[in-house]
Amino acid sequence: MADKAPEPDAEERRQERRQDRQDSPPASGSAPDGAERTAWRGLLSYAKPYRKTFAGVVACTVIAISADLLQPFLVKIAIDDHLMGGSGELGPVLLLAGLYLALSLLALAFSYWQSLLVQRAGQGIVSKLRKDLFRHLSRLSPSFYDRMSSGSLVTHMSGDTETVSQFFTQVCLSLFRDGLTLVFILFLMFQLDPVLAGYSLLLLPLIALIAAGFRGYMRRTYQQSRTRLSRLIAFTAENLSGMNLVQAFRQEREQQRQFEERNGSYYEANLREIRTNVLFNRSFDLLGNLSVAFVTWLGGRAVYGEGLEFGVLYAFITYIRQFFQPINSITQQWNTLQAASVSMDRIWKLFQTRSALPEDASADAAELERIGPGAVRFQDVEFGYDPQQPVLRGVSLDVAPGETIGIVGTTGAGKSSLISLLCRFYDVQRGSVSIDGVDVRHIPLARLQRIVGLVQQEPYLFSGSILDNVRLFDPSISEEEAREACRFVGADRLIRRLPDGYGTMLSEKGSGLSAGERQLISFARIVVFRPSILILDEATANLDSSTEQMVQRALAAVSAGRTTLVIAHRLSTIMNADRILVMRSGSIVESGSHGELLGKGGYYARLYRHSQGQPDSGRQPAG
Amino acid sequence: MKERLLRPYLAAKAPLYGAALLAIALGNIVQSLYPRVLGEFTDRLQQEALTPVLISRSALMLAGIALLYSSLAGSGQYLIMRLGRNFERLTRKRLFKQFTRLSEAYYAKHGVGSMLSYVLNDVKSVREAISAGFNQTANAVILLGSAVVMMALSGLPLGLVAVCVSPLLLIPPIVVYFGPRIRERSRHAQEELAAMTESAEEQIGGMRVTQKFAVEPMMEARFGARVDGVYGSQLKLVRLSSLFQALLPFLGSASLVVTLAAGGYHALSGGITVGMYVSLTLYVRLMINPLQQIGNVINTMQRSRASLERIQELLASRPDIEDSPQAVELPQRADIAVRGLTYRYPGSSRPALDRVDLDIRHGRTTALIGRTGSGKTTLAKLLLRMMEPPAGAIRIGEADIRDVTLRSLRGSIAYVPQDGFLFSTTLGDNIAFSKRDATESEIESASRQAMIYEQARQFKEGFGTRLGERGVTLSGGQRQRASLARGLVKEAPLLILDDSVSAVDAETESAIVSSIRRVRAGRTTLVIAHRISAIQHADEIVVLDEGRVVQRGTHEQLLREDGWYAELASLQKGGMDHGGQGA
């Protein structure tokens, strides 16, 4: 349970979605074939720009395998024409050897180029896929990120794309090389003796039969071991994150036992998979060797009875053995192919996810021009993460430019939903949210995000210098601007005390800064990006009261002259707001300044007493 | 320092490996009879002594060879793969056990991702080397060996055989040259891939910020640079490994060229029969595939050696917190005395705790308050010996905490950390974490005390509701309350609450505080907080600032004293007396 859910609203809608997720197939190849086919077609569109490269690969492959395949043919000529009958001179034999040497050299060069070309195309495709996937993900709305854990997204980004790249480097290569080899061998066999070759064709249905028989079973065992592996990994990852608890509660042995349970069941699945694979590969092996025996018998009788040249029989026997090599190596690609197919399918599903927020941007230039002062209006807003369960029930609110609004309420009252709508993380179900008279749905998203600034409870720092984190790697923001922002929020002194000053490298983990210092940097970020509306969502919840004071000062500086919405469950944070709104189950129930609300003696007044450690006597638990 | 891993396993399983090798060896020896059968067949043919019976006999022999080979080689292969998987399983088990023994200091230095990669990648890479590697090497070496032996036995002139296989002798130097270079490049490619994964992780974690500031193009460029890094390093690797893999079969072909010429010369000059010539070419052909396999195996081996070393190193690292040789049971009903405790994190110049004196009296509630980074959590972790305190600084009764067995020490403490970490099992299992056989009513009463009971009842499956990725996600406050219930169920002599209700709203917090006061009456409790409302009822409150104790006393005493505490109290009480002026 590493992911955070600051609001129970989020939890409610997760509960709702849990059902779908459990019903959906486990991430494996059990998707209908139709979906798989689309996924492959999608991948094919990525391969298109590399058409010429792939043509080059085929050409290289033809030359590379020809040397290998013509060798028995050359020996046949040597046997039939020079050794068993014919002139008995050494010259032609040497010539044949020379020819073969030349072929081998060609094969060396071309098989090198072939694998280089395949890799170049494959890696190029995967790079493009990764970049496109990232671009796509960065366009998806927050509702998508509520659903997907970041862990599985990372798996898609690196693991699944890596598997797809293996498809190119291993499966594709094998299909080209081994597929062409098969065709060549068949061709040569027909050249040598059509009758014998005709008999060999009988092998094809046999091979198909074996493959078909194993296919379903192999797929099942493969999926089973994959599922069990991911369970084992999830268990381990979680226990590593919570190891201090395991140790503090002395549960090492019990967790070891549970680990071993999963470890063992993965092992069992592995053995089943191995058994299937060994049987599968060996049955081809056996079939290949039996075919040689069959050809020897058949061919021997032909040589005996019908005067077939022995050299032909020799070449034939060699070819029929070679015939099974490519088949064997293609079947060994089976697992990679299956993994790639599953991965491709998952990646494709991501690509097909559309953002829940349609880009409308119908506001014209004149309307957009009007935006600036930062007047916010909520009009009869109804909203629920699940439309059946409204979180906001007809909320109306007018915020004047430059006004500071404090919002309080118990968890689940709808505070965060309110600001999510203003940031357009979600769209309203009824009513409207507008800024300076323009509906947020009509403002281009990128523009809207720069108008509305948001500071959350957990400031997120990217790995990079402090400077990079303040200007978010945007080269259009000058270093001086960033420094100025830091001075403005009072972070400058602190930053210059650090060993590398503004160049100090930060990262999400272990940045060496305290929670308050990190929050200060995120304030500087806001200053640099100059939003006209500022939202602080529990921005000071993780700070202790004295650090909070420093942050409060920065906050006062940042919010001066800006429309500011502050959410807090600690009243000290919002007591000085121009107006305080009290929310309960989706509506605004009280509104006024701190003094006014205390005077009313309502919910706010009671909340205030609680925060002072003086619960009203009637509700105090016994003891 | 290293812990031997592979050798003892191979030694223990030597009989099985021996059997597997024997099966593969027999299989290959049987298979190498095949050119001989065909060679004789040819000779008979040339002597025009071929009869239908002879043809059928040859064919049957070939079929027999096929059957024997497939079953022998197949069972050998299965056995070796099974042994490899078993090794993988045992190693994983040991790794996990080691993880449970390593202390806070190790976890602080290493990310979960890198530790996971031991279980996932390193183990796999070693297993592949010993099973696929073992299999293919055994196959290849035996096939090569038996081909050479059969050639020698077939009556072919040894000089001719030697000349024919001479190009193959170049293989070892080529392998020695390419091996380390390929390993280096593949390590680099792996690092680039890891860097890209890390970048993806970071970018997805910060997606909200990226979107909120509309800086998607900048982030795309950052991630794109990582993707290009992977591309470049992969191609660099491929250039070398492709050359290597093309060179090995070429040497095989070169052998065939020599065989064609030299064998042809001997056949024409009558040194060997045409039948021998046929089997000679077949033998040389037989050797090409195994050579290629050896190349592949060497690549795998190179990669796995680094992994094996990594695993061995990890397994050899000694957990830095263990029972001392003279460890005693934890004294019962004793006071805890902290005297002159100074603690410095490794690599830090400033001590996190500086000469701290503190008494946690039996049966009383002691509170620690102070700003972030004042050393509160450090003290809690030292009490649990998640980190090792200096000798003599913390005593429980008469015993130094370092001389108390870990089992009895941690068994007597219930720790409730701030982050409210829960496992993705059911809610009930999480609460009963330290007491797996806890009854329904025990779980119920603990969750009532932690104010999570009502919430649990609202779930369709109650305490049987699964949490985490495949289940319900709790909010921060709910997680803290569930984690509190987990601590309360233990009913431990000492309860440590480390800012355990910071994400809970004020109303619920005051209810929880009262219920804890009730259930912990007469038992030792240490409360850590930065909100006064959470600790004001404590028997003694200790104020920490920058690792030092700056004030101590009861709530009332401290309010009367000028200082940090009174200042904090008025700050948190806020505009009580001058309310409304802010508007």
Side-chain angles (χ1 to χ4, degrees):
Chain A
M1 290 239 345
D3 54 338
K4 297 203 164 65
E7 284 275 316
D9 327 357
E11 169 231 309
E12 276 159 30
R13 64 184 186 266
R14 281 197 180 97
Q15 274 182 61
E16 209 47 50
R17 280 173 185 134
R18 179 167 57 109
Q19 217 53 44
D20 329 345
R21 239 182 304 159
Q22 280 176 345
D23 294 343
S24 70
S28 59
S30 57
D33 278 352
E36 236 168 75
R37 224 166 286 142
T38 348
W40 286 110
R41 203 169 301 150
L43 184 61
L44 225 55
S45 71
Y46 274 89
K48 235 179 192 169
Y50 291 93
R51 252 174 313 185
K52 279 187 193 149
T53 315
F54 281 116
V57 171
V58 173
C60 286
T61 311
V62 170
I63 300 173
I65 59 181
S66 61
D68 200 28
L69 291 182
L70 285 175
Q71 181 262 334
F73 203 77
L74 294 177
V75 178
K76 169 211 164 273
I77 297 174
I79 292 175
D80 284 346
D81 296 358
H82 303 290
L83 297 182
M84 283 184 114
S87 58
E89 281 171 33
L90 188 58
V93 177
L94 286 182
L95 193 70
L96 281 174
L99 195 60
Y100 185 56
L101 179 64
L103 276 173
S104 304
L105 280 169
L106 275 178
L108 171 69
F110 280 90
S111 64
Y112 172 69
W113 281 327
Q114 167 221 31
S115 92
L116 214 57
L117 282 177
V118 154
Q119 292 271 1
R120 189 169 294 164
Q123 294 293 341
I125 288 169
V126 171
S127 291
K128 179 93 171 41
L129 195 64
R130 283 178 174 147
K131 288 179 186 173
D132 284 358
L133 191 60
F134 182 73
R135 180 169 308 137
H136 179 73
L137 286 179
S138 68
R139 301 275 182 278
L140 290 177
S141 59
S143 56
F144 170 79
Y145 289 95
D146 293 340
R147 256 190 350 254
M148 286 294 255
S149 79
S150 71
S152 53
L153 282 177
V154 171
T155 314
H156 295 322
M157 295 282 289
S158 66
D160 284 334
T161 51
E162 188 56 22
T163 317
V164 172
S165 112
Q166 274 174 11
F167 166 77
F168 285 103
T169 54
Q170 292 175 19
V171 181
C172 251
L173 199 63
S174 157
L175 281 182
F176 276 132
R177 194 178 46 213
D178 299 322
L180 277 172
T181 308
L182 270 183
V183 173
F184 260 76
I185 290 176
L186 275 176
F187 172 77
L188 285 169
M189 291 201 313
F190 271 97
Q191 281 290 309
L192 283 168
D193 188 276
V195 182
L196 272 182
Y199 277 116
S200 316
L201 281 185
L202 284 177
L203 283 174
L204 292 178
L206 262 179
I207 290 168
L209 213 67
I210 294 177
F214 273 99
R215 186 170 179 258
Y217 194 58
M218 280 173 74
R219 174 177 265 219
R220 271 199 303 284
T221 53
Y222 171 77
Q223 273 169 16
Q224 191 184 42
S225 72
R226 238 189 108 100
T227 314
R228 291 190 181 177
L229 175 65
S230 65
R231 257 183 232 153
L232 178 72
I233 294 305
F235 180 87
T236 314
E238 184 174 277
N239 273 273
L240 287 176
S241 314
M243 192 53 80
N244 59 346
L245 275 168
V246 174
Q247 290 173 345
F249 283 90
R250 294 295 294 167
Q251 294 302 313
E252 293 95 332
R253 205 156 291 156
E254 176 62 23
Q255 297 307 97
Q256 277 166 23
R257 194 190 60 74
Q258 289 191 14
F259 176 84
E260 190 46 24
E261 221 174 78
R262 287 166 176 81
N263 195 14
S265 96
Y266 174 51
Y267 173 68
E268 296 296 324
N270 272 327
L271 290 190
R272 217 162 300 146
E273 201 186 347
I274 292 172
R275 268 198 295 274
T276 324
N277 285 343
V278 168
L279 261 179
F280 181 63
N281 289 333
R282 286 302 149 187
S283 32
F284 277 128
D285 227 36
L286 182 63
L287 188 63
N289 284 329
L290 286 180
S291 310
V292 173
F294 180 66
V295 166
T296 309
W297 180 71
L298 208 67
R301 291 176 70 93
V303 173
Y304 179 69
E306 298 143 40
L308 178 77
E309 284 184 332
F310 175 72
V312 173
L313 182 61
Y314 167 86
F316 218 91
I317 288 170
T318 318
Y319 281 135
I320 206 111
R321 273 177 73 84
Q322 276 188 335
F323 186 72
F324 279 88
Q325 260 172 33
I327 288 183
N328 249 330
S329 47
I330 287 177
T331 57
Q332 306 220 332
Q333 301 301 324
W334 177 256
N335 276 350
T336 319
L337 182 69
Q338 233 173 4
S341 161
V342 171
S343 293
M344 203 50 227
D345 204 45
R346 282 194 285 202
I347 291 174
W348 213 247
K349 269 196 200 121
L350 276 186
F351 270 125
Q352 278 170 336
T353 316
R354 293 277 152 253
S355 173
L357 307 169
E359 268 282 14
D360 172 0
S362 64
D364 54 37
E367 277 184 295
L368 291 180
E369 199 66 21
R370 278 213 314 268
I371 301 176
V376 176
R377 160 170 283 182
F378 286 83
Q379 209 162 19
D380 291 325
V381 168
E382 266 183 34
F383 170 72
Y385 299 98
D386 171 5
Q388 310 297 306
Q389 295 177 341
V391 179
L392 296 177
R393 306 158 198 264
V395 171
S396 290
L397 170 66
D398 267 300
V399 185
E403 195 181 10
T404 296
I405 300 277
I407 306 174
V408 288
T410 50
T411 42
K415 296 167 299 190
S416 286
S417 310
L418 206 62
I419 59 156
S420 294
L421 293 177
L422 183 55
C423 296
R424 206 176 166 219
F425 292 156
Y426 303 92
D427 275 342
V428 294
Q429 263 117 32
R430 261 194 37 209
S432 68
V433 180
S434 55
I435 297 173
D436 294 322
V438 185
D439 192 314
V440 290
R441 282 168 295 187
H442 299 159
I443 306 173
L445 258 178
R447 175 81 197 275
L448 175 70
Q449 302 304 359
R450 296 261 177 138
I451 295 169
V452 183
L454 172 68
V455 182
Q456 288 176 300
Q457 188 172 349
E458 302 270 352
Y460 194 89
L461 299 182
F462 293 92
S463 57
S465 67
I466 290 186
L467 207 59
D468 289 336
N469 266 289
V470 170
R471 58 178 174 179
L472 283 176
F473 306 92
D474 189 338
S476 70
I477 294 166
S478 75
E479 204 175 316
E480 191 38 49
E481 251 178 290
R483 281 171 193 267
E484 180 58 41
C486 291
R487 272 194 287 276
F488 189 69
V489 299
D492 183 62
R493 209 165 47 94
L494 173 135
I495 294 169
R496 277 186 300 152
R497 262 211 322 253
L498 296 172
D500 294 317
Y502 281 87
T504 305
M505 294 307 280
L506 304 179
S507 73
E508 186 42 28
K509 294 159 214 126
S511 61
L513 296 183
S514 77
E517 291 161 346
R518 292 159 66 95
Q519 196 59 282
L520 279 184
I521 288 179
S522 81
F523 280 137
R525 207 183 258 171
I526 280 285
V527 171
V528 156
F529 281 82
R530 292 200 203 94
S532 42
I533 299 165
L534 177 61
I535 300 172
L536 304 168
D537 187 0
E538 301 281 12
T540 55
N542 268 359
L543 313 180
D544 57 75
S545 302
S546 345
T547 320
E548 188 179 345
Q549 256 196 326
M550 178 170 72
V551 172
Q552 288 282 8
R553 270 197 295 276
L555 202 87
V558 176
S559 65
R562 278 198 178 91
T563 310
T564 310
L565 276 69
V566 187
I567 291 185
H569 59 229
R570 250 185 289 164
L571 301 186
S572 57
T573 319
I574 47 125
M575 275 178 330
N576 297 324
D578 297 326
R579 191 150 44 117
I580 296 169
L581 308 176
V582 180
M583 292 194 70
R584 280 194 102 174
S585 37
S587 331
I588 298 173
V589 291
E590 288 172 41
S591 161
S593 71
H594 177 73
E596 288 163 15
L597 290 179
L598 278 191
K600 275 186 194 164
Y603 180 72
Y604 183 83
R606 191 153 58 86
L607 218 55
Y608 185 70
R609 276 201 303 280
H610 272 294
S611 73
Q612 302 308 307
Q614 300 160 1
D616 28 7
S617 49
R619 291 175 53 96
Q620 191 168 25
Chain B
M1 193 163 84
K2 260 189 212 172
E3 173 145 331
R4 292 240 160 259
L5 195 61
L6 196 51
R7 212 165 287 170
Y9 180 77
L10 294 181
K13 301 287 178 188
L16 283 176
Y17 271 111
L21 281 181
L22 191 67
I24 293 177
L26 283 176
N28 281 314
I29 290 168
V30 167
Q31 204 194 13
S32 59
L33 289 172
Y34 154 96
R36 197 188 176 117
V37 172
L38 275 183
E40 272 172 20
F41 183 79
T42 315
D43 283 343
R44 289 291 160 79
L45 184 94
Q46 207 184 19
Q47 293 155 14
E48 316 222 332
L50 208 58
T51 62
V53 179
L54 198 64
I55 293 171
S56 302
R57 218 189 64 186
S58 298
L60 277 178
M61 275 175 76
L62 288 174
I65 289 172
L67 270 172
L68 259 176
Y69 169 72
S70 287
S71 47
L72 281 170
S75 45
Q77 188 189 7
Y78 173 71
L79 203 52
I80 280 176
M81 284 168 98
R82 186 190 170 111
L83 285 165
R85 289 288 181 172
N86 193 37
F87 170 80
E88 183 181 55
R89 173 187 163 188
L90 292 175
T91 309
R92 282 206 174 107
K93 186 177 173 181
R94 287 175 68 177
L95 278 171
F96 189 80
K97 189 169 179 190
Q98 178 75 352
F99 288 155
T100 65
R101 293 164 65 198
L102 293 168
S103 72
E104 186 87 8
Y106 187 89
Y107 280 87
K109 264 202 305 254
H110 300 82
V112 168
S114 83
M115 292 173 82
L116 206 52
S117 121
Y118 284 104
V119 180
L120 199 57
N121 303 325
D122 289 324
V123 171
K124 184 177 161 210
S125 148
V126 175
R127 185 258 301 164
E128 271 170 3
I130 63 171
S131 55
F134 217 105
N135 233 324
Q136 289 184 1
T137 322
N139 234 323
V141 168
I142 292 167
L143 204 58
L144 274 179
S146 53
V148 169
V149 172
M150 295 304 281
M151 271 199 275
L153 290 181
S154 62
L156 286 162
L158 282 181
L160 177 63
V161 172
V163 168
C164 290
V165 300
S166 59
L168 304 181
L169 297 179
L170 279 175
I171 286 177
I174 285 182
V175 165
V176 168
Y177 176 84
F178 277 96
R181 284 168 178 79
I182 288 178
R183 183 171 49 165
E184 178 54 31
R185 290 195 186 185
S186 103
R187 197 181 54 81
H188 184 235
Q190 285 301 317
E191 280 168 5
E192 286 290 338
L193 195 63
M196 191 202 74
T197 308
E198 212 169 275
S199 170
E201 212 170 329
E202 178 195 300
Q203 298 287 353
I204 286 169
M207 191 57 86
R208 220 175 214 205
V209 176
T210 301
Q211 292 182 334
K212 198 64 216 59
F213 286 87
V215 288
E216 288 94 340
M218 274 59 95
M219 297 303 172
E220 274 162 28
R222 289 186 76 211
F223 183 70
R226 287 289 175 211
V227 172
D228 291 339
V230 173
Y231 177 79
S233 68
Q234 287 283 357
L235 284 192
K236 234 177 118 182
L237 168 65
V238 163
R239 274 200 288 276
L240 206 61
S241 64
S242 299
L243 183 62
F244 180 61
Q245 276 172 4
L247 262 178
L248 290 181
F250 171 73
L251 290 174
S253 301
S255 277
L256 267 172
V257 171
V258 175
T259 308
L260 268 176
Y265 169 77
H266 277 271
L268 282 173
S269 61
I272 55 171
T273 64
V274 179
M276 285 161 95
Y277 179 69
V278 165
S279 43
L280 181 62
T281 59
L282 288 175
Y283 279 128
V284 172
R285 257 208 103 77
L286 263 183
M287 297 168 79
I288 295 179
N289 257 329
L291 287 175
Q292 211 163 340
Q293 278 183 347
I294 287 178
N296 291 337
V297 167
I298 284 164
N299 279 346
T300 324
M301 292 275 191
Q302 296 281 16
R303 232 175 295 141
S304 73
R305 210 165 67 187
S307 289
L308 182 65
E309 276 164 16
R310 262 166 58 85
I311 295 176
Q312 286 178 337
E313 227 165 88
L314 175 76
L315 289 181
S317 66
R318 312 267 329 147
D320 48 4
I321 298 180
E322 280 182 312
D323 281 343
S324 72
Q326 68 272 25
V328 295
E329 289 289 297
L330 182 82
Q332 296 297 303
R333 311 177 62 82
D335 293 344
I336 300 170
V338 177
R339 292 289 175 269
L341 171 60
T342 299
Y343 185 82
R344 207 185 296 268
Y345 283 97
S348 163
S349 53
R350 196 177 62 87
L353 290 173
D354 192 0
R355 287 161 287 165
V356 168
D357 291 329
L358 179 71
D359 287 293
I360 301 169
R361 286 190 218 291
H362 175 73
R364 301 294 189 82
T365 297
T366 309
L368 281 177
I369 191 164
R371 65 184 92 198
T372 324
S374 59
K376 298 172 303 213
T377 298
T378 308
L379 188 63
K381 286 187 171 162
L382 289 172
L383 283 173
L384 277 160
R385 267 185 89 199
M386 308 275 243
M387 304 178 304
E388 195 76 303
I394 303 179
R395 297 189 158 273
I396 299 168
E398 289 305 302
D400 186 339
I401 195 169
R402 291 163 50 125
D403 294 331
V404 173
T405 60
L406 277 175
R407 190 187 48 75
S408 70
L409 175 72
R410 292 183 182 162
S412 313
I413 302 177
Y415 177 57
V416 185
Q418 183 186 7
D419 63 3
F421 183 92
L422 299 175
F423 292 91
S424 358
T425 52
T426 66
L427 179 58
D429 284 350
N430 265 294
I431 293 174
F433 186 61
S434 61
K435 209 175 188 179
R436 310 264 171 158
D437 51 356
T439 62
E440 192 85 355
S441 70
E442 276 177 281
I443 294 174
E444 231 171 72
S445 83
S447 54
R448 270 184 213 278
Q449 289 155 15
M451 300 283 154
I452 188 75
Y453 181 69
E454 289 304 317
Q455 189 66 54
R457 263 196 9 187
Q458 278 169 26
F459 293 138
K460 222 178 286 168
E461 288 141 288
F463 287 106
T465 305
R466 269 188 80 84
L467 306 179
E469 210 161 296
R470 295 192 152 266
V472 169
T473 309
L474 299 183
S475 74
Q478 289 169 338
R479 276 188 285 141
Q480 283 195 336
R481 283 181 276 157
S483 147
L484 180 63
R486 170 174 62 197
L488 290 172
V489 124
K490 196 171 175 183
E491 301 206 320
L494 173 60
L495 174 68
I496 300 180
L497 301 174
D498 188 358
D499 227 345
S500 314
V501 287
S502 58
V504 171
D505 56 58
E507 205 172 345
T508 317
E509 183 195 21
S510 65
I512 290 176
V513 170
S514 323
S515 98
I516 288 176
R517 284 181 66 204
R518 195 178 63 238
V519 300
R520 295 297 298 179
R523 280 188 288 184
T524 322
T525 307
L526 176 67
V527 189
I528 294 171
H530 61 250
R531 262 191 271 169
I532 285 182
S533 51
I535 54 131
Q536 56 189 353
H537 305 290
D539 296 308
E540 188 186 29
I541 298 169
V542 174
V543 182
L544 276 181
D545 190 32
E546 302 204 330
R548 279 189 217 122
V549 175
V550 290
Q551 281 181 291
R552 64 177 90 220
T554 63
H555 178 64
E556 287 71 25
Q557 285 168 355
L558 289 174
L559 278 185
R560 281 194 295 274
E561 227 173 82
D562 270 348
W564 196 84
Y565 190 84
E567 194 185 319
L568 187 72
S570 70
L571 206 78
Q572 288 183 1
K573 227 176 172 90
M576 177 71 146
D577 308 316
H578 43 93
Q581 286 167 7

